Amino acid sequence: MKENKKLETNNTGAVAEPPIQIIDNRREIDYLSDAELKELEKELEQYDKDMWQHLDCLQKYKHIGEEIPKDVPFTEYFGYIFQNFRNPKPEEEWTVRDYKVDAARERRQMAAFIIKDHGYKEPLTDRQKRVIERIRNGTDFHVSLDKIWELFK
């Protein structure tokens, strides 16, 4: 849930907007029981694997991936994710969890690509820093990439 508040104004002009709180109530896919995973697989059987409907169903769950070391500059996150966070199993053997992990990795990589290739302006705003930290620490975020694009224009 997002908390949006309009800018307050006083005699001297606009007052800074309070930080946006994002509350994520989704459960981590790694902590689902075997029965819950089987139920999810049964629900997903109606869709082709890796299609948008399949991935949309998986958005109900989150995945916290591996952290990127703090000594890697944020402009290099795209390459680091590309080189280090691939699933070694062939796609034919992937489980529901593997598809969710891959979708989270892909979303994280696309956000890192926007930062890398489309530039940013120094100094970074607090919102930009929060997005960069979420990419670094592996937090799965279901945010429109268009919003991230707008954030780093």
Side-chain angles (χ1 to χ4, degrees), residues 60-112:
K60 298 175 193 169
Y61 305 96
K62 65 182 173 184
H63 171 69
I64 307 299
E66 295 179 49
E67 284 195 6
I68 297 172
K70 290 189 178 193
D71 61 341
V72 176
F74 70 88
T75 54
E76 302 298 321
Y77 285 178
F78 175 81
Y80 189 89
I81 293 167
F82 186 76
Q83 291 174 355
N84 297 299
F85 298 142
R86 292 194 197 165
N87 189 337
K89 294 192 287 187
E91 200 167 331
E92 298 83 37
E93 297 176 13
W94 282 10
T95 62
V96 169
R97 183 192 172 283
D98 293 323
Y99 276 101
K100 174 58 189 169
V101 169
D102 189 63
R105 178 203 53 82
E106 194 172 289
R107 196 102 175 137
R108 184 179 179 191
Q109 191 172 8
M110 286 303 298

Side-chain angles (χ1 to χ4, degrees), residues 16-42:
E17 186 175 320
I20 295 174
Q21 299 289 328
I22 298 174
I23 299 168
D24 192 352
N25 294 327
R26 297 177 298 161
R27 291 180 54 202
E28 167 95 43
I29 198 158
D30 291 339
Y31 300 124
L32 296 179
S33 68
D34 289 339
E36 290 171 318
L37 280 172
K38 292 240 185 269
E39 186 179 314
L40 180 58
E41 285 174 7
K42 194 178 260 188

Side-chain angles (χ1 to χ4, degrees), residues 103-124:
R105 178 203 53 82
E106 194 172 289
R107 196 102 175 137
R108 184 179 179 191
Q109 191 172 8
M110 286 303 298
F113 176 78
I114 289 170
I115 294 169
K116 173 187 173 278
D117 269 17
H118 301 294
Y120 58 92
K121 294 177 184 164
E122 292 282 348
L124 296 173

Side-chain angles (χ1 to χ4, degrees), residues 1-3 6-7 11 22 32 37-38 42 45 48 50-51 72 74 78 81 96 109 118 121-122 127-128 132 134 144:
M1 176 187 288
K2 254 193 215 178
E3 184 183 302
K6 293 190 176 197
L7 287 177
N11 297 351
I22 298 174
L32 296 179
L37 280 172
K38 292 240 185 269
K42 194 178 260 188
E45 279 177 1
D48 290 335
D50 213 19
M51 296 299 289
V72 176
F74 70 88
F78 175 81
I81 293 167
V96 169
Q109 191 172 8
H118 301 294
K121 294 177 184 164
E122 292 282 348
R127 290 181 72 195
Q128 289 171 327
I132 289 169
R134 289 178 80 183
S144 166

Side-chain angles (χ1 to χ4, degrees), residues 4 9-10 13 22 27 30 40 44 47 50 64 86-87 108 112 125-126 140 142 145:
N4 271 338
T9 57
N10 60 19
I22 298 174
R27 291 180 54 202
D30 291 339
L40 180 58
L44 292 171
Y47 307 116
D50 213 19
I64 307 299
R86 292 194 197 165
N87 189 337
R108 184 179 179 191
T125 66
D126 286 341
D140 175 24
H142 186 58
L145 292 174

